Amino acid sequence: MLAKAEARRSALLIAPTGAGKTLAGFLPSLIDLTQRKPGIGPRGVHTLYISPLKALAVDISRNLEAPIAEMTLPIRVETRTGDTPGARRQRQMRSPPDILLTTPEQVALILAHSEARRFFSDLRTIVIDELHAIAPSKRGDLLALDLARVRKLAPEAISFGLSATVAEPDDLRRWLVDQHAPVTRADLVEAPAASAARPDLSILETAERLPWSGHSARHAMNEIYAEIGLHKLSLVFVNTRMQAEWVFQMLWEINEEGRRIALHHGSLDVGQRRKVEAAMAAGALDAVVCTSTLDLGIDWGDVDLVVNVGAPKGASRLLQRIGRANHRLDQPSKALLVPSNRFEVLECRAAIDAAYAGEQDAVTKRDGALDVLAQHVLGMVTAEPIHPDDLFTEVTSAAPFASLGREDFDRVLAFATDGGYALKAYDRFAKIKADKDGRLRIANARIAQAYRMNIGTIVEATMLKVHLGGAKSGALRYGRLLGEIEEYFAEGLTPGDTFVFAGEVLKFEGLLEDRVVASRATGRDPMIPSYAGGKFPLSTHLARRVRSMLATPSDWKHLPEQVAEWLGLQRDKSGLPERDDLLIETFPRSGRHYLVAYPFEGRLAHQTLGMLLTRRLERAGLKPLGFVANDYAIAVWMLGDPQLKLTREPRFLIDLFDADMLGDDLEDWLAESALMKRSFRHCAVIAGLIERRFPGMEKKARAVTISTDLIYDVLRRHEPDHILLKAARADAATGLMDLRRLSDLLMRIRGRIVHHSLERVSPLAVPILLEIGREPVYGEAGDAMIAEEAERLMQEACEPMGSL
């Protein structure tokens, strides 16, 4: 990396955890800064370090400042995140530090400042950490566009990308550099993976009975607690903030040894998060229950065990998380996977096999999103006037937008200028104007301020601050801030309701303006904050491995005995599919008829398939009543008898699962579905059509919904080719619906549908049937209800069964 810096060559550094990526990224800057001649007057920033996580920027600052202080180097390092006070950010613009550690959103804010050109005038090096996590997302699209502008302001700067091992490094090499330059790929610096110690990975062999369904992992809490006691510091990873609160609460309930267990997730107050981070660094904790806020590059304390509660959903995600344990190259990372149910056992086994094989399944390439481009256009004209031709050249120098056509660019520009054809009559959408030279300028200062307040691509539900407090003299009073919960959850509470937050059981006292006031309570079965984000679908790569495992009984010896026994029962009572087959079971139960399919293609693709199947079943006269989907299977229940339909029409299932469902059926569904409105809502917020935050106030989620739904209907009627409708459709296809994966599934199963017509439910169908009509139920009572129903279903499945 020193050689690349000396030659002024941008580079992608790929190395295993603990190999020293961060040092390699910063060392050229430290050397350059110590050799720099004293200047006259203030300088611009020398090195810009960009991290996907605020916590990672803080961690890097701590690890960087210590050697700088010990060597008494004349180098000033500062962080700038959303948690940085406004006064310090203003001072940084006037007097930039030598090295600035920041996040993608802050880069966009700096570029929209009138002093951006001076701020970046001395920039020599850009370091993007965890590039594999940033690039394939809308945050990555916005950062790529912003770095295109930075390269224009600082043409001598080079870019270093730091990344874990990825399947397609060329995607990231292109992302790092100007796509109009003679060389369109950064150099590759790669540490051999063989230099790292082989990780120690295992699945918890629970002594308890494995649940059939659910995600609480309550059955394993005593065993997780015992493992914490055997290690210095354990990170207990979960996939959602809701799970984090629940797991933390369960561990505290059984904490008879008084172990020091903490909680860390993105909704907690920044002060509480920093206290946990400091305690980790000081060795003052035994365990931390956390979400993805700690699963990138963090190196705090003597972490010697990673516990992953639930299935990891992808091999790359698992490798990322296990790298937090023994963050050294010469020591093996140790991880314990704790599946929450039986299907998750298969997924955990597949993930471990993939990790040992060094396989990667993270996506590293995407086409740039048009709503992100619209936000960026507004930001660039906020900073200074620019000609559309120059802006187009700059935008297409960013890899995600390299193939953007001028027609689409002009349509985005028209939208950013005045809302486009259908909306240009409304003054509120007039944001950009052209001067006599054809350069684009911001229309007025209010629009510039609104842009700065709404910057970024993460669209979350409106959050309300949670304070400790209560009623005093008939009026609500509040004190210490605990963090934030989502508005819609708070609005569903009534005074006296209890819920878990920040690791405590709280009693809801009331709402005071935009604050939730709560007091400490002692209830054992509280409600749980229901956070919107955090569910990851099963990756395509792991799905393939799970299907192979089902088709290969010799592999079952690596599974827990009760899971292998379950698969054996399924083989005897119904059957198991080959790797590329689709097993479909039909059976009657309780006056209804069921169709259960096992595609193993992830929750999003299955939900879309369920919507399309029910439309087709309705047309076939089978009167579907509903469906339920998870990562592994889909179940549809109906009044009509599909088995009878098959005797009359032998091709019925083949036609039912034909790929032509992605034509008219899909379009008809989208036309009447709320899914497209939801997708449009997100695009409208990112593109700046709807502003969530105004000076002195914030628009509530309900108001945003009403506003965007009205505009959506207007655009569909009067401008159906509007650029935001196109962006919303692209988002829905890749995200909410996972259309590409569904299309691949329908092509894979052509001629490979295996149908078993049964008298009753099969063992494999038990988990998916348990999900029917079930809201998330937490606590012992909820787990007991699931266990009782599972027992009934399995008794039914194991009765003598003949084929109809």
Side-chain angles (χ1 to χ4, degrees):
M1 293 300 284
L2 285 168
K4 297 300 178 186
E6 188 174 350
R8 306 307 296 160
R9 304 274 297 182
S10 293
L12 172 67
L13 171 59
I14 291 180
T17 294
K21 286 193 292 290
T22 305
L23 175 62
F26 277 110
L27 190 57
S29 293
L30 297 180
I31 292 172
D32 196 32
L33 281 164
T34 55
Q35 296 174 346
R36 185 173 63 173
K37 295 178 182 178
I40 300 174
R43 295 177 183 267
V45 67
H46 176 283
T47 296
L48 183 69
Y49 166 88
I50 304 163
S51 155
L53 296 177
K54 290 183 284 188
L56 182 53
V58 173
D59 178 50
I60 295 298
S61 174
R62 178 175 56 81
N63 289 334
L64 195 58
E65 286 173 348
I68 286 174
E70 288 168 2
M71 292 186 283
T72 62
L73 302 179
I75 296 172
R76 191 169 124 227
V77 179
E78 292 187 9
T79 59
R80 179 188 174 109
T81 72
D83 297 331
T84 304
R88 188 184 304 168
R89 283 189 267 178
Q90 290 175 11
R91 193 253 302 151
Q92 288 170 343
M93 293 304 299
R94 294 191 302 269
S95 175
D98 298 311
I99 299 176
L100 182 67
L101 313 175
T102 190
T103 59
E105 292 73 23
Q106 291 299 316
V107 176
L109 271 172
I110 294 170
L111 283 171
H113 198 282
S114 58
E115 292 295 315
R117 189 172 290 275
R118 182 185 62 78
F119 185 89
F120 288 115
S121 60
D122 294 314
L123 184 68
R124 296 278 291 166
T125 305
I126 304 164
V127 180
I128 305 105
D129 207 350
E130 306 292 350
L131 179 57
H132 60 286
I134 299 178
S137 67
K138 286 194 176 186
R139 288 182 88 200
D141 293 346
L142 184 60
L143 182 58
L145 290 168
D146 288 334
L147 292 183
R149 169 55 61 95
V150 171
R151 285 193 290 267
K152 181 180 176 183
L153 301 179
E156 299 301 314
I158 58 173
S159 298
F160 288 160
L162 312 181
S163 174
T165 306
V166 290
E168 300 291 341
D170 280 0
D171 295 338
L172 300 183
R173 294 172 67 190
R174 280 187 285 270
W175 193 96
L176 282 169
V177 297
D178 184 343
Q179 293 303 290
H180 296 324
V183 178
T184 58
R185 293 191 305 178
D187 293 350
L188 179 63
V189 177
E190 197 166 11
S195 62
R198 177 182 167 91
D200 176 4
L201 311 177
S202 60
I203 298 175
L204 177 67
E205 289 279 357
T206 180
E208 304 293 329
R209 187 159 178 79
L210 264 169
W212 295 94
S213 184
H215 300 281
S216 75
R218 173 184 281 275
H219 72 283
M221 285 302 132
N222 285 309
E223 290 157 314
I224 292 174
Y225 184 75
E227 287 290 335
I228 290 171
L230 298 175
H231 296 84
K232 289 182 183 176
L233 175 57
S234 303
L235 291 184
V236 183
F237 278 109
V238 296
N239 287 334
T240 70
R241 287 168 284 176
M242 178 173 66
Q243 279 180 303
E245 292 279 1
W246 181 243
V247 169
F248 177 77
Q249 190 67 19
M250 286 192 290
L251 288 174
W252 262 113
E253 286 179 6
I254 59 174
N255 190 13
E256 295 178 356
E257 304 293 327
R259 293 188 180 125
R260 301 164 299 175
I261 303 172
L263 176 66
H264 192 288
H265 63 67
S267 286
L268 296 177
D269 175 59
V270 59
Q272 183 162 342
R273 296 201 306 270
R274 295 294 173 265
K275 281 171 61 178
V276 172
E277 293 158 12
M280 288 174 67
L285 291 175
D286 299 311
V288 180
V289 180
C290 54
T291 59
S292 55
T293 51
L294 292 183
D295 74 359
L296 295 175
I298 311 292
D299 182 18
W300 273 307
D302 295 322
V303 177
D304 54 352
L305 176 67
V306 164
V307 178
N308 198 93
V309 178
K313 300 302 171 190
S316 296
R317 177 172 294 277
L318 174 61
L319 287 166
Q320 187 73 56
R321 286 184 168 178
I322 64 178
R324 301 313 102 219
N326 291 330
H327 203 222
R328 293 172 49 144
L329 195 64
D330 59 345
Q331 293 185 3
S333 297
K334 184 177 181 182
L336 178 68
L337 276 62
V338 182
S340 300
N341 58 60
R342 297 186 179 221
F343 267 127
E344 284 192 352
V345 172
L346 305 179
E347 189 181 335
C348 288
R349 183 71 257 168
I352 287 177
D353 292 344
Y356 279 141
E359 296 169 354
Q360 300 290 329
D361 54 10
V363 176
T364 51
K365 183 181 179 181
R366 57 176 273 127
D367 293 329
L370 297 177
D371 53 334
V372 174
L373 177 57
Q375 181 184 127
H376 178 75
V377 166
L378 191 60
M380 294 306 93
V381 300
T382 296
E384 59 185 32
I386 187 169
H387 195 279
D389 294 344
D390 296 335
L391 185 55
F392 176 70
T393 301
E394 183 179 300
V395 163
T396 52
S397 72
F401 295 90
S403 60
L404 178 74
R406 183 62 192 244
E407 182 183 354
D408 275 348
F409 173 80
D410 287 341
R411 290 170 65 202
V412 170
L413 193 57
F415 161 75
T417 300
D418 56 21
Y421 168 75
L423 301 175
K424 66 193 310 178
Y426 302 93
D427 289 342
R428 60 173 289 195
F429 300 119
K431 298 183 177 181
I432 298 174
K433 58 185 180 182
D435 62 19
K436 58 183 175 55
D437 299 321
R439 295 184 306 169
L440 306 173
R441 294 176 177 271
I442 200 75
N444 56 61
R446 189 206 70 82
I447 291 169
Q449 186 180 15
Y451 164 78
R452 294 187 182 102
M453 292 183 69
N454 289 276
I455 212 162
T457 62
I458 301 172
V459 180
E460 293 186 336
T462 302
M463 306 296 283
L464 300 181
K465 296 184 185 303
V466 181
H467 291 263
L468 280 177
K472 190 173 183 181
S473 302
L476 282 176
R477 299 282 189 271
Y478 63 88
R480 183 164 70 90
L481 175 67
L482 297 178
E484 297 178 322
I485 59 174
E486 285 162 348
E487 178 189 33
Y488 73 83
F489 175 80
E491 289 180 341
L493 296 173
T494 56
D497 284 347
T498 58
F499 60 102
V500 170
F501 186 74
E504 299 185 75
V505 180
L506 303 178
K507 183 174 76 170
F508 178 65
E509 299 288 352
L511 285 172
L512 187 61
E513 297 174 346
D514 62 344
R515 292 175 170 86
V516 173
V517 181
S519 58
R520 289 191 173 94
T522 55
R524 284 178 53 84
D525 285 315
M527 297 175 67
I528 306 293
S530 183
Y531 300 108
K535 286 189 175 179
F536 308 103
L538 173 68
S539 75
T540 303
H541 183 82
L542 283 194
R544 193 178 304 117
R545 275 189 169 271
V546 171
R547 294 198 308 269
S548 295
M549 195 185 310
L550 285 175
T552 313
S554 59
D555 288 347
W556 299 353
K557 62 179 178 290
H558 302 299
L559 299 174
E561 183 179 348
Q562 50 188 314
V563 175
E565 180 184 305
W566 169 51
L567 296 182
L569 278 172
Q570 171 66 19
R571 181 182 54 190
D572 296 341
K573 299 292 183 179
S574 172
L576 289 164
E578 293 299 315
R579 193 189 76 170
D580 293 327
D581 289 352
L582 175 66
L583 172 64
I584 298 175
E585 297 173 333
T586 53
F587 51 84
R589 186 172 189 270
S590 302
R592 296 175 179 177
H593 297 273
Y594 289 79
L595 183 153
V596 181
Y598 306 92
F600 290 92
E601 288 295 351
R603 175 176 45 87
L604 297 176
H606 290 176
Q607 285 175 340
T608 305
L609 177 61
M611 295 301 301
L612 298 177
L613 285 178
T614 51
R615 294 180 72 87
R616 291 192 154 193
L617 289 166
E618 185 67 43
R619 282 205 308 273
L622 292 177
K623 301 177 182 177
L625 300 172
F627 78 93
V628 66
N630 59 21
D631 272 327
Y632 319 104
I634 176 172
V636 186
W637 57 99
M638 62 204 86
L639 295 178
D641 184 351
Q643 296 174 337
L644 184 60
K645 183 83 171 175
L646 270 167
T647 59
R648 296 170 178 169
E649 301 176 28
R651 287 185 52 86
F652 171 63
L653 285 180
I654 296 171
D655 294 339
L656 184 65
F657 283 85
D658 193 278
D660 64 6
M661 72 167 63
L662 298 181
D664 291 343
D665 280 326
L666 178 63
E667 294 304 320
D668 291 346
W669 171 51
L670 288 178
E672 60 192 48
S673 168
L675 182 143
M676 277 300 293
K677 287 189 175 181
R678 176 182 166 199
S679 183
F680 179 81
R681 192 178 310 138
H682 282 208
C683 289
V685 170
I686 290 171
L689 181 69
I690 298 295
E691 293 157 350
R692 287 284 299 274
R693 287 174 286 275
F694 300 89
M697 63 176 290
E698 181 162 324
K699 182 175 285 192
K700 294 197 173 186
R702 189 181 299 109
V704 171
T705 299
I706 293 169
S707 302
T708 55
D709 285 359
L710 287 171
I711 295 172
Y712 176 79
D713 291 336
V714 168
L715 292 180
R716 280 198 64 213
R717 283 196 302 271
H718 300 292
E719 195 178 354
D721 62 343
H722 192 279
I723 201 71
L724 276 197
L725 292 179
K726 180 176 180 178
R729 174 63 185 260
D731 268 13
T734 56
L736 298 173
M737 295 187 294
D738 212 349
L739 282 186
R740 177 174 295 180
R741 194 158 172 190
L742 177 55
S743 175
D744 290 345
L745 161 67
L746 297 175
M747 297 302 293
R748 167 172 67 84
I749 64 173
R750 277 187 172 175
R752 302 190 69 99
I753 292 177
V754 177
H755 173 234
H756 291 173
S757 187
L758 308 175
E759 293 177 346
R760 59 183 59 85
V761 61
S762 72
L764 205 61
V766 169
I768 189 69
L769 261 60
L770 287 171
E771 306 224 8
I772 294 174
R774 185 173 67 85
E775 290 297 317
V777 177
Y778 290 85
E780 293 179 49
D783 290 343
M785 286 164 51
I786 295 170
E788 288 173 13
E789 179 63 16
E791 202 63 41
R792 281 195 294 270
L793 283 167
M794 277 306 295
Q795 286 176 2
E796 188 179 322
C798 291
E799 290 176 9
M801 184 189 302
S803 186
L804 289 179

